[in-house]
């Protein structure tokens, strides 16, 4: 048996999750966010599977071109616009949509000589203080964009919410108020909502939706998992048991010997580590599914391996199947045990070592 670490990508679940967005806001056009290699799921396959989306949203020209290569002919939105004015020619020829978030971009756009005008979204900083024009400047920017020969109407105002993942945090209400103050009456269209807003803030569910993480079946909220949002996990990270050993009470396990066997016990070794994208900071006790049942991680995560406590499965044998996250074990739980967020874990799966496989046409009644 060769070392096979698999990221199984469930395209049926992906499409199901897009339908969930449609159910929540049937009137709204949807720009599916496929940046960062489709949140680690493979940008090409994700864009292809979600070809019924009204648009794709990405972070760079390279990602936008990959979307076009799949045959996607609808708008492709560059969420940070262009990084250099030399990209404007490609944007015009490929009919990409550029977010304009800064004065330098506006000037570059005004000065460019383009063969065709481009579509733009105007980013308003309603309180996140990352990208965007301050609300008090947005009227002037709007004016300049609407008189710029390189811009095609309509200009769509957008903003991004900083705290929507916490449904009790009133920052979201304040951001919406600031955004509405500068856009109401100016534009019929707009774009506000990420996954957390789509699921948790009905008043933000308007205009172009920008779901990312929820498409991949993961909850955007600070607690809970995708299942509680009626989403289905798309990636299942799989490996196998490669050793079963018996250690004595007091024996240390792994680097640093930071974990000691509390009694004579069987210990399993799984072929997965931080070299594959499994988080090194996953604490002892992090759940691992072995033969469909939970066993706890013990000791430190190494580059290629982790150890697990086999006291609840002393019969486990070499080659037995292991799920690190996905079906039956939400990636949100692993993120919590590793003091990070599911986004980082999904994006961090190592493409050079972890083989992606696709599954489709599964009977969903089976697993949920
Ligand atoms: C990444 C991103 C999104 C998607 O966010 P999720 O939390 O994954 O839904 C939406 N809008 C912008 C501007 C983004 O950068």
């Amino acid at each position: 048996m060769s070392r096979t670490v698999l990221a199984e990508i469930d395209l049926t679940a992906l499409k199901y999750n897009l339908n969930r967005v449609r159910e929540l806001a049937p009137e709204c056009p949807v720009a599916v966010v496929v940046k960062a290699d489709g949140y680690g799921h493979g940008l090409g396959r994700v864009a292809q599977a979600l070809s019924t989306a009204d648009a794709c949203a990405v972070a760079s020209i390279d990602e936008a071109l990959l979307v076009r290569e799949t045959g996607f002919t609808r708008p492709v939105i560059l969420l940070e616009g262009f990084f250099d004015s030399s990209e404007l020619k490609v944007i015009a020829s490929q009919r990409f949509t550029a977010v304009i978030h800064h004065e330098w971009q506006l000037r570059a756009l005004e000065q460019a000589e383009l063969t065709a005008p481009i579509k733009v979204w105007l980013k308003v900083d309603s309180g996140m203080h990352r990208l965007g024009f301050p609300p008090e400047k947005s009227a002037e920017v709007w004016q300049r964009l609407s008189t710029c020969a390189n811009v095609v109407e309509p200009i769509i105002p957008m903003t991004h919410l900083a705290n929507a993942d916490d449904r009790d945090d009133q920052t979201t209400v304040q951001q919406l108020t600031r955004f509405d103050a500068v856009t109401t009456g100016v534009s019929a269209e707009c774009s506000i909502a990420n996954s957390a807003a789509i699921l948790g803030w009905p008043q933000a569910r308007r205009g172009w939706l920008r779901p990312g993480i929820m498409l991949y079946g993961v909850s955007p909220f600070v607690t809970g998992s995708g299942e509680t949002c009626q989403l289905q996990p798309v990636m299942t990270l799989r490996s196998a048991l490669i050793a079963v050993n018996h250690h004595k009470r007091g024996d240390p396990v792994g680097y640093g010997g930071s974990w000691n066997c509390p009694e004579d016990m069987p210990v399993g070794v799984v072929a997965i580590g931080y070299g594959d994208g499994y988080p090194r900071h996953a604490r002892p006790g992090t759940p691992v599914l072995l033969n469909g049942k939970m066993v706890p991680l013990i000791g430190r995560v190494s580059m290629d391996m982790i150890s697990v406590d086999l006291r609840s499965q002393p019969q486990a044998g070499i080659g037995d199947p292991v799920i690190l996250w996905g079906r039956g074990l939400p990636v949100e739980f692993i993120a919590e045990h590793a003091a990070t967020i599911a986004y980082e874990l999904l994006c961090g799966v190592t493409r050079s070592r972890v083989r992606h496989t696709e599954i489709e046409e599964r009977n969903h009644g089976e697993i949920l």
Side-chain angles (χ1 to χ4, degrees):
M1 183 184 76
S2 57
R3 185 178 195 273
T4 39
V5 179
L6 287 182
E8 194 177 80
I9 308 299
D10 183 345
L11 299 176
T12 308
L14 191 63
K15 292 172 191 170
Y16 175 93
N17 297 332
L18 174 56
N19 273 336
R20 188 70 190 113
V21 179
R22 299 278 193 203
E23 272 169 24
L24 285 163
E27 308 294 316
C28 295
V30 179
V32 294
V33 183
V34 299
K35 63 193 180 187
D37 199 24
Y39 288 46
H41 294 66
L43 186 151
R45 74 163 60 81
V46 170
Q48 217 150 23
L50 300 181
S51 62
T52 60
D54 304 290
C56 281
V58 295
S60 71
I61 285 273
D62 289 347
E63 291 177 343
L65 289 168
L66 288 172
V67 171
R68 277 280 180 265
E69 275 173 29
T70 69
F72 191 86
T73 54
R74 297 191 188 144
V76 179
I77 297 142
L78 294 157
L79 291 169
E80 284 120 78
F82 47 95
F83 293 77
D84 186 287
S85 52
S86 64
E87 293 178 334
L88 279 165
K89 281 194 168 55
V90 187
I91 292 174
S93 67
Q94 294 284 332
R95 293 169 295 102
F96 293 151
T97 302
V99 168
I100 304 297
H101 64 78
H102 201 276
E103 172 66 30
W104 80 259
Q105 288 179 324
L106 183 55
R107 226 175 300 133
L109 193 52
E110 286 169 333
Q111 289 165 5
E113 286 181 24
L114 301 178
T115 48
I118 65 168
K119 288 194 246 177
V120 299
W121 285 16
L122 164 56
K123 181 125 181 195
V124 177
D125 175 15
S126 59
M128 181 160 178
H129 301 138
R130 192 177 60 179
L131 291 185
F133 293 94
E136 61 274 15
K137 284 215 82 183
S138 57
E140 179 208 321
V141 176
W142 186 278
Q143 182 59 32
R144 281 170 66 187
L145 283 173
S146 56
T147 54
C148 178
N150 288 325
V151 172
V152 63
E153 301 275 353
I155 300 158
I156 297 178
M158 73 170 291
T159 197
H160 195 48
L161 302 171
N163 297 25
D165 60 335
D166 181 349
R167 280 178 265 209
D168 296 321
D169 190 321
Q170 291 308 300
T171 307
T172 299
V173 178
Q174 293 164 9
Q175 284 197 257
L176 291 173
T177 305
R178 281 190 210 116
F179 184 68
D180 288 343
V182 296
T183 58
T184 305
V186 177
S187 169
E189 289 186 85
C190 69
S191 180
I192 304 167
N194 57 4
S195 299
I198 293 165
L199 289 162
W201 297 87
Q203 65 270 54
R205 234 179 258 154
R206 48 193 158 102
W208 283 87
L209 307 179
R210 305 189 309 269
I213 198 76
M214 71 179 288
L215 295 171
Y216 307 98
V218 173
S219 165
F221 298 113
V222 278
T223 56
S225 68
E227 204 178 337
T228 55
C229 307
Q230 294 167 56
L231 301 169
Q232 298 184 356
V234 176
M235 182 195 291
T236 297
L237 186 61
R238 294 178 179 275
S239 187
L241 209 56
I242 60 165
V244 175
N245 296 308
H246 296 269
H247 298 302
K248 296 269 178 252
R249 180 171 168 219
D251 281 351
V253 173
Y255 283 117
S258 57
W259 197 91
N260 298 279
C261 296
E263 59 182 318
D264 294 4
M265 62 182 278
V267 169
V269 179
V270 179
I272 192 88
Y274 61 80
D276 305 291
Y278 191 84
R280 199 185 83 89
H281 292 288
R283 290 189 296 267
T286 301
V288 172
L289 277 187
L290 170 63
N291 296 310
K293 293 199 198 80
M294 212 276 279
V295 292
L297 173 83
I298 58 177
R300 285 189 196 155
V301 172
S302 327
M303 188 183 288
D304 313 316
M305 287 169 271
I306 58 171
S307 296
V308 292
D309 180 344
L310 290 184
R311 281 177 292 175
S312 64
Q313 289 193 53
Q315 79 294 348
I318 290 165
D320 283 2
V322 171
I323 289 179
L324 287 313
W325 64 62
R327 288 161 83 176
L329 181 57
V331 64
E332 295 92 322
F333 293 180
I334 310 306
E336 209 173 295
H337 280 86
T340 183
I341 54 173
Y343 296 74
E344 188 184 23
L345 298 187
L346 295 176
C347 290
V349 171
T350 317
R351 285 306 290 270
S352 56
R353 259 171 70 146
V354 179
R355 195 154 58 85
H356 281 57
T357 59
E358 296 172 12
I359 59 167
E360 205 164 10
E361 291 175 34
R362 179 169 47 75
N363 173 10
H364 272 263
E366 264 169 49
I367 54 146
L368 293 174

